[in-house]
DNA sequence: CCTCGATCCTCCAACGTTGTAATCTCGTAC
DNA sequence: GTACGAGATTACAACGTTGGAGGATCGAGG
């Protein structure tokens, strides 16, 4: 059905390899020949067969992106960024969902044959932790996102969680808040975004010499709006006094803000609220939600760039000293964050 | 590096084809042989090379999903559903973003070599219209989503736009509203979700013998929150009287609701608001937003099912009368919708 | 003991592409 | 007029898999 190199070669009156050379922009081709071939190509509407190319050359032009769930806005916006970035490099993105923190599913994915036709993987785990670091020793290029695993044997693109959470907390302190509730802590967690952001929160308190109060931590299991709402409700019911809420992500903050307003608190007059993630929708809530933009576009751009470098490095003949098995050590990249002050933390 | 059929065959002491047969569940294999082979497979950690398989057999196990943008919540949730559905059938999903209604990009995508390693495509256009129907004559299985093109030469999964919009409007009428503003109409549009939903709106008005007032239509270009906010602001500024707002999608409705509250209208006491799409976040806005769930999961499930049937049909030997070139005519499927009544349309 | 059919397995040839190495074709220099 | 070499093209062999056709094996029946 579809035209092949053979057909094009026959029409153009050259060898099949010459056509291949034209398609691949080989430099030593007589202009007249190139023209003939290009004409035949468009005439037959020839398109290279990617399976065959991939079989022969080992490259597919597809990168994998594994993330928990697209229905979580943060990951949807991240995927959007990654796809746009990949498109600039003429790569196509295959998305795998690992579910909301399903450790086994994440580990299984890393060795799934489903990744076969992928040149490399950008992986954002939510369930694995540093004890699973060995699973990251895979045979394909891998770039890690997120805060679950540090010091692994792979490149890692992450955000400045501690610093950013500290900045968010300081923002509230600057506005005179002294009893800052945290919504979204994970009970007993030592790694991961929640732990890091709580750490930044505590550092900011310490720096301002504001005492830390355990009862201001609202625990949740997942980071959905519902969880934020529930934690906020519990905290209100517990009778703890607070004058600000730091949602460890925007979704939690929006859920919490909803409950606050329902309970009669005015935002920001009675309680200031800040989130984290820089979601688009924080611009349109009532009131608009102050938040931390963790540098999502930069994260996506860096992840794709690094992955592409790794993919290139593995197929190119090793330049320079060949005794180094891998020319680059795994590297950690940290995107810049920025604080978006909006109505939810405005001073009256 | 990676083990091939050859390696496995050598270890198991059988021919390469026998290994292939085991992998593909061929029935006539002696249990002892199968066991030997399986042992060798797990010993060598063999995984089939999908490129080679695809080159030989023509199937890749990948389906494409082309949609405008993942940062639009509706499409993110749709993608989530499609991926989950595909996973049940052991298929992997490759996502292409065509941008918010970029007609040329959509047309270009349909013949992009990027789809080469895809067995078929689920396509949700936003810029093309019925005049582009010819472009849908592609050589691969294609399932169309959305409301832009009807009567095309391909299977089409859609929602009951008119009926659902009519139900939403009737819901408002039932609550005593008589001046129902519409946010999100597209100027001069004849096809597409906006037109259909406006049609449903008018039908409901007619049925209730409520006069239609052109000045109650709020026009927008895109369906982002910002557009909903802007259109609402314009309508308020214009001085038109209204007692309800029908956002043609949830995002518009949320943007509009934000502006209403800012302007001092109470929802639902002064103005009732309803949206369309059944987004997760409508459950958590303040007030919670009434909406239409257009049956997204059903749409995703149907689209994947139909696509898989088409893919199967094209490779299987034609059963029965072979004079029919295509055993099925293109079919249109319409998912059931449901109305979710929430606080934004509650009666005082 | 031979035949026959069912079951099990193997051989061979593709699928469409690209890397390597070899060949051909010039224009240029002597 | 011949030799040279760079530029331009080609032949051939893979890449790992599966379809098809044919070969081996085995038990049962004659």
């Amino acid at each position: 059905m579809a035209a092949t190199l053979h057909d094009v070669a026959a029409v153009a009156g050259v060898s099949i390899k010459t056509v291949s050379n034209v398609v691949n922009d080989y430099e030593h081709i007589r202009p007249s020949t190139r023209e003939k071939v290009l004409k035949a190509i468009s005439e037959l509407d020839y398109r290279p067969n990617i399976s065959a190319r991939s079989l022969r050359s080992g490259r597919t032009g597809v990168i994998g992106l594994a993330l928990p769930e697209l229905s979580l806005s943060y990951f949807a916006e991240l995927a959007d960024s990654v796809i746009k970035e990949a498109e600039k490099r003429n790569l196509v993105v295959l998305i795998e969902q690992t579910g909301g923190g399903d450790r086994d599913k994440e580990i299984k994915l890393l060795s799934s044959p489903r990744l076969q036709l992928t040149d490399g993987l950008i992986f954002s785990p939510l369930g694995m932790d540093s004890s699973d670091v060995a699973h990251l020793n895979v045979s394909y290029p891998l770039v890690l996102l997120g805060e679950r695993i540090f010091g692994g044997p792979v490149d890692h693109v992450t955000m400045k969680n501690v610093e950013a959470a500290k900045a968010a907390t300081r923002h509230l302190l600057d506005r005179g808040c002294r009893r800052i509730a945290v919504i979204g802590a994970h009970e007993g967690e030592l790694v991961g975004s929640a732990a890091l952001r709580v750490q930044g929160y505590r550092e900011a308190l310490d720096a301002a010499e504001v005492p830390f109060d355990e009862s201001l931590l609202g625990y949740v299991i997942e980071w959905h709006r519902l969880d934020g709402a529930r934690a906020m409700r519990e905290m209100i019911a517990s009778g703890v006094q607070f004058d600000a809420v730091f949602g460890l992500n925007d979704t939690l903050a929006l859920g919490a803000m909803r409950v606050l307003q329902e309970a009669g608190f005015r935002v920001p007059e009675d309680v200031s609220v800040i989130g984290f993630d820089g979601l688009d929708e924080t611009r349109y809530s009532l009131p608009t939600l102050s938040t931390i933009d963790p540098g999502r576009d930069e994260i996506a751009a860096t992840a794709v760039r690094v992955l592409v470098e790794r993919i290139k490095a593995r197929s190119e003949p090793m330049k320079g000293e060949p005794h180094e098995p891998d020319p680059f050590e795994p590297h950690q990249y940290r995107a810049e964050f920025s604080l978006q002050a909006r109505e939810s933390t405005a001073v009256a």
Side-chain angles (χ1 to χ4, degrees), chain A:
Chain A
M1 199 73 227
T4 74
L5 283 184
H6 271 98
D7 306 325
V8 177
V11 169
V14 295
S15 86
I16 172 182
K17 189 60 212 286
T18 297
V19 180
S20 169
N21 285 337
V22 170
V23 171
N24 293 289
D25 282 328
Y26 179 65
E27 44 185 349
H28 297 307
I29 296 182
R30 201 171 311 171
S32 64
T33 312
R34 161 170 280 120
E35 209 170 323
K36 259 193 313 189
V37 172
L38 288 177
K39 181 156 163 278
I41 285 179
S42 77
E43 208 168 281
L44 295 176
D45 194 25
Y46 164 78
R47 316 229 185 86
N49 178 316
I50 310 231
S51 297
R53 173 178 289 177
S54 146
L55 172 59
R56 182 62 239 237
S57 70
R59 299 266 204 93
T60 60
V62 181
I63 62 177
L65 173 63
L67 39 74
E69 290 191 72
L70 278 176
S71 54
L72 301 174
S73 300
Y74 176 75
F75 291 108
E77 298 193 4
L78 179 67
D80 181 320
S81 296
V82 168
I83 291 177
K84 283 184 177 135
E85 201 59 40
E87 203 173 354
K88 289 184 196 160
R89 302 180 142 80
N90 214 28
L91 293 169
V92 100
V93 179
L94 190 152
I95 296 189
E96 289 276 357
Q97 294 192 122
T98 53
D102 185 334
R103 174 173 167 275
D104 290 341
K105 211 171 165 195
E106 289 174 358
I107 292 177
K108 217 163 122 197
L109 176 93
L110 284 172
S111 59
S112 159
R114 298 156 68 86
L115 295 175
Q116 274 279 344
L117 45 79
T118 259
D119 289 337
L121 179 68
I122 297 176
F123 180 44
S124 180
L126 205 58
M128 296 171 63
D129 60 41
S130 292
S131 70
D132 298 312
V133 86
H135 291 288
L136 296 178
N137 267 310
V138 293
S139 59
Y140 47 84
L142 176 63
V143 172
L144 197 66
L145 301 185
E147 287 65 47
R148 299 290 308 175
I149 304 181
F150 285 93
V154 294
D155 293 297
H156 187 180
V157 183
T158 182
M159 55 180 75
K160 299 192 170 174
N161 273 286
V162 178
E163 293 88 333
K166 196 169 165 182
T169 310
R170 194 168 46 234
H171 178 71
L172 293 170
L173 290 166
D174 287 351
R175 266 145 195 74
C177 307
R178 284 298 174 273
R179 302 274 306 161
I180 305 174
V182 171
I183 296 294
H186 286 166
E187 195 109 43
E189 184 187 80
L190 296 174
V191 300
S193 313
L196 292 168
R197 294 177 193 172
V198 169
Q199 183 191 332
Y201 163 77
R202 296 195 59 166
E203 285 183 12
L205 292 187
D206 288 352
E209 297 186 348
V210 172
F212 167 69
D213 180 353
E214 170 79 38
S215 64
L216 284 170
L217 291 189
Y219 292 99
V220 302
I221 303 296
E222 293 198 85
W223 274 8
H224 291 260
R225 221 175 285 240
L226 199 59
D227 305 287
R230 191 187 309 115
M232 194 74 250
R233 225 173 259 129
E234 286 169 9
M235 188 163 301
I236 293 173
S238 77
V240 179
Q241 294 303 305
F242 56 86
D243 52 16
V245 170
F246 175 18
L248 294 189
N249 84 357
D250 287 336
T251 312
L252 290 164
L254 290 168
M257 192 157 77
R258 160 86 165 99
V259 166
L260 282 172
Q261 294 168 312
E262 226 172 31
F265 294 90
R266 289 169 306 158
V267 179
E269 294 83 353
D270 303 329
V271 178
S272 293
V273 179
I274 193 166
F276 197 117
D277 271 353
L279 293 190
D280 196 48
E281 62 184 291
T282 57
R283 269 197 268 265
Y284 303 98
S285 57
L286 182 71
T288 55
L289 181 67
S290 297
T291 185
I292 296 283
D293 173 359
R296 190 177 42 249
D297 284 344
E298 186 188 343
I299 291 175
T302 306
V304 173
R305 178 173 56 75
V306 171
L307 187 65
V308 167
E309 281 167 13
R310 289 283 173 194
I311 292 171
K312 272 210 187 110
R314 101 193 294 237
S315 64
E316 262 170 22
M318 209 83 61
K319 292 173 189 170
E321 306 308 292
H323 51 52
E324 196 83 27
D326 194 339
F328 320 95
E329 287 295 301
H331 198 304
Q332 190 179 122
Y333 306 82
R334 305 174 77 220
E336 286 304 323
F337 67 93
S338 65
L339 192 148
Q340 312 286 334
R342 303 221 180 86
E343 293 167 3
S344 68
T345 58
V347 228

